[in-house]
Amino acid sequence: MGKDREGKFHPGKGKPSGANKSEPEIPSDLPVRHPNRNTSKGEDYSKTEATANKSRNATYTEEVTKTQPEELVGDLTKDIFIELASYDQPPCISILLPTHKAGVEVNEQVDMTAFKSALQQAEKMLNEQGTETITTKRMLKPGYDLLREDKFWRSLNEGLAVYIADGFFKFIKLRAPLIQHVRVNTSFYVSPLVPFMVRPEYFYILDIAKKFPRFYRADAIGIEHLQVEELPSGVDDVVHTEEKGDNAVFRTGGKGGVGSANFHGIGAGRPDEKENIALYLEEVDDTIWQSHLNRETVPLLLAGQDFLIPIYRSVSDYKYIWPEALTGNHHQQNDNELYEEAMEVMKPYFEQPLRRALEDYGNKSATELTSTNVGVIIPATYYSRVSQLFVKKGSRIWGTFNEQDNKLDIADQESDKVDDLIDKAVIKTIQNGGEVYFMEADQMPEQGELAAIFRY
């Protein structure tokens, strides 16, 4: 090996020295890597593994969070009820809770705590039924996410119904309390929603006073304050006094505040207090007649002080004023308090369909068109035979019904392999255009869990 001018060594041409010699022996105690050993371990391996984990976690997160909570707003219609009732991709979770609109329960997050407990109970049920862990987490994650929505828990009503399945999370805020219940089954538990469904019965309330009358529409579920722009705000808004020389002129607004009529101080004389009130209430009546009542045949319930009620009846053009009235000053009440009193008075109106159904049951009780036999009633609901179904509140019958084979099996207890047959009977009756009445045991037409009137 020689040096160049700069003193660097350069190897000679040809093969390296010792190239033709045999390979040296490897000492037996020298550590040797196994040929199958992963030589990519170390920093590069860690990066590869981290990337893989990140990819898996991203996929997992995407699967878990793809379903968002959806509120079913507005009236609970038959279509919404049937949509929930017809969902058949188990497992199906139903959570029913009484909730609070305001008060210490809201401040102390009572409803949020109850919902969290319900989610944990549902998770336990799913695990006991053998549902895969990833499916359980995917189903329940929107619920756990909802726990962090403070605005949601401060905007509830009196009841909350939540329905959860894989890829499905819908809830309904209800205007009355529910009995707390958690169920995991092959379908949703929807019969408790029946009392909240839209019914044809409704009525109007007019809270009359010398100032600021209030007008409402109410039904079996709740009350709505109707804003009528042309509604006069008081007697002085209708009857005006003007001094013109030696004459006093009393001027009234026309219907809906349009036009006028005069009462002169000479001749007819000055209208007294009762006449002024009558003119004012007639204007109120004309205004709500034009805005709403001219196309209605439903009851109008009057609320107000004793002396105002007969005056209004005497000037009103509406033929369907309810015979009983809410007497007293109700302007200090909020809408819900007024509604509660109104519903006590209007109870006979809402009970008319039930009374007719019970009367019909009594007339047909000696025939084959009525029954209390659950073995007959439950199959009949599937085949559109039931026109009216009476259900004892709190009843449960577990089992299965094979519609094709017309085979009914009653089970001793609840499990994920049987259905709530009363819930199914309620659903089928409503789907097929029948009526359902939930009743106390002593109100049932006959003793039993169910009673029915058949179409044929």
Side-chain angles (χ1 to χ4, degrees):
M1 181 178 297
K3 293 183 180 181
D4 61 12
R5 294 179 181 178
E6 297 177 356
K8 294 182 179 180
F9 289 96
H10 294 275
K13 293 181 179 180
K15 291 183 180 181
S17 175
N20 294 325
K21 294 181 180 179
S22 61
E23 292 290 335
E25 293 184 6
I26 300 175
S28 60
D29 59 348
L30 182 68
V32 179
R33 290 178 182 265
H34 192 279
N36 292 334
R37 186 180 177 113
N38 185 354
T39 58
S40 64
K41 275 190 175 182
E43 184 178 350
D44 292 341
Y45 172 79
S46 298
K47 290 180 179 179
T48 303
E49 183 67 14
T51 302
N53 286 337
K54 184 177 180 181
S55 177
R56 283 196 296 271
N57 289 337
T59 303
Y60 175 78
T61 303
E62 182 182 350
E63 288 182 356
V64 169
T65 59
K66 64 182 179 181
T67 304
Q68 297 297 319
E70 177 187 348
E71 180 178 2
L72 299 174
V73 295
D75 294 329
L76 178 57
T77 63
K78 181 179 177 180
D79 290 340
I80 293 175
F81 178 85
I82 292 175
E83 175 193 349
L84 292 171
S86 303
Y87 194 88
D88 60 353
Q89 297 182 32
C92 296
I93 303 170
S94 305
I95 297 176
L96 309 178
L97 295 173
T99 52
H100 304 84
K101 296 176 66 174
V104 66
E105 292 86 358
V106 175
N107 295 332
E108 295 183 356
Q109 301 181 333
V110 170
D111 300 331
M112 185 190 303
T113 302
F115 184 65
K116 181 178 180 180
S117 177
L119 290 174
Q120 292 170 341
Q121 187 177 344
E123 185 170 2
K124 181 180 178 182
M125 291 178 176
L126 289 168
N127 292 336
E128 290 173 350
Q129 294 179 11
T131 306
E132 291 184 357
T133 302
I134 191 170
T135 302
T136 298
K137 291 185 180 296
R138 185 168 60 238
M139 291 171 63
L140 297 180
K141 190 172 190 306
Y144 284 113
D145 288 343
L146 203 57
L147 291 173
R148 295 191 288 269
E149 297 293 333
D150 186 65
K151 183 179 178 181
F152 173 83
W153 298 105
R154 294 186 177 277
S155 62
L156 293 177
N157 214 314
E158 302 295 330
L160 179 66
V162 183
Y163 296 99
I164 308 170
D166 196 3
F168 188 104
F169 193 107
K170 297 186 179 183
F171 62 89
I172 309 171
K173 297 177 182 178
L174 299 167
R175 289 182 279 181
L178 291 165
I179 296 175
Q180 186 164 334
H181 191 83
V182 180
R183 179 178 294 183
V184 178
N185 204 260
T186 57
S187 59
F188 292 133
Y189 180 41
V190 295
S191 58
L193 299 182
V194 172
F196 298 94
M197 289 178 61
V198 175
R199 292 180 55 178
E201 300 89 6
Y202 64 94
F203 65 101
Y204 290 97
I205 304 172
L206 178 61
D207 181 17
I208 51 180
K210 289 185 177 181
K211 290 186 177 181
F212 307 114
R214 299 185 296 175
F215 189 49
Y216 299 89
R217 184 186 188 278
D219 56 26
I221 304 301
I223 188 170
E224 177 187 5
H225 188 184
L226 301 175
Q227 300 290 347
V228 182
E229 291 184 3
E230 299 296 333
L231 200 63
S233 60
V235 175
D236 292 341
D237 197 28
V238 176
V239 181
H240 309 283
T241 303
E242 300 175 11
E243 296 295 336
K244 294 189 177 182
D246 294 330
N247 295 335
V249 180
F250 305 96
R251 196 178 298 277
T252 67
K255 292 185 178 182
V258 180
S260 64
N262 295 338
F263 295 87
H264 294 273
I266 297 176
R270 184 187 184 99
D272 61 19
E273 177 73 5
K274 186 176 179 180
E275 289 179 67
N276 287 345
I277 292 173
L279 291 169
Y280 156 62
L281 293 182
E282 185 173 11
E283 184 71 13
V284 170
D285 184 70
D286 288 341
T287 303
I288 62 174
W289 168 266
Q290 291 182 12
S291 65
H292 289 83
L293 297 184
N294 65 84
R295 50 186 180 272
E296 296 284 11
T297 58
V298 300
L300 171 64
L301 176 65
L302 300 180
Q305 292 177 304
D306 289 348
F307 73 95
L308 293 175
I309 302 297
I311 297 176
Y312 189 90
R313 291 185 189 275
S314 68
V315 300
S316 177
D317 295 324
Y318 194 60
K319 298 179 180 179
Y320 304 98
I321 297 178
W322 193 250
E324 191 174 350
L326 293 176
T327 56
N329 185 354
H330 298 276
H331 265 44
Q332 302 302 318
Q333 291 179 316
N334 61 39
D335 292 353
N336 288 332
E337 291 170 339
L338 177 64
Y339 174 70
E340 288 178 7
E341 285 196 31
M343 287 302 291
E344 287 297 318
V345 173
M346 299 303 296
K347 190 177 291 185
Y349 173 66
F350 285 95
E351 290 178 347
Q352 287 176 358
L354 174 59
R355 287 202 303 271
R356 287 194 294 265
L358 289 172
E359 183 179 350
D360 192 25
Y361 188 97
N363 293 335
K364 297 175 180 178
S365 60
T367 73
E368 294 183 354
L369 292 177
T370 63
S371 177
T372 58
N373 186 338
V374 297
V376 175
I377 294 174
I378 291 173
T381 63
Y382 282 77
Y383 304 126
S384 302
R385 288 187 57 208
V386 175
S387 58
Q388 282 90 16
L389 181 68
F390 305 91
V391 182
K392 186 176 77 173
K393 289 181 179 179
S395 296
R396 301 282 183 273
I397 298 176
W398 301 102
T400 58
F401 178 69
N402 188 315
E403 189 172 357
Q404 292 183 339
D405 299 335
N406 192 19
K407 183 181 179 182
L408 177 67
D409 292 316
I410 305 295
D412 296 331
Q413 59 186 5
E414 179 182 4
S415 76
D416 60 323
K417 295 180 173 57
V418 297
D419 298 317
D420 182 343
L421 293 174
I422 288 184
D423 193 56
K424 294 292 187 184
V426 168
I427 292 169
K428 291 298 181 181
T429 300
I430 292 175
Q431 283 180 327
N432 295 323
E435 299 171 354
V436 177
Y437 302 98
F438 287 88
M439 308 177 67
E440 301 294 343
D442 59 351
Q443 296 176 330
M444 291 286 288
E446 293 187 63
Q447 289 186 353
E449 308 292 320
L450 297 174
I453 302 175
F454 301 127
R455 292 188 173 100
Y456 58 91

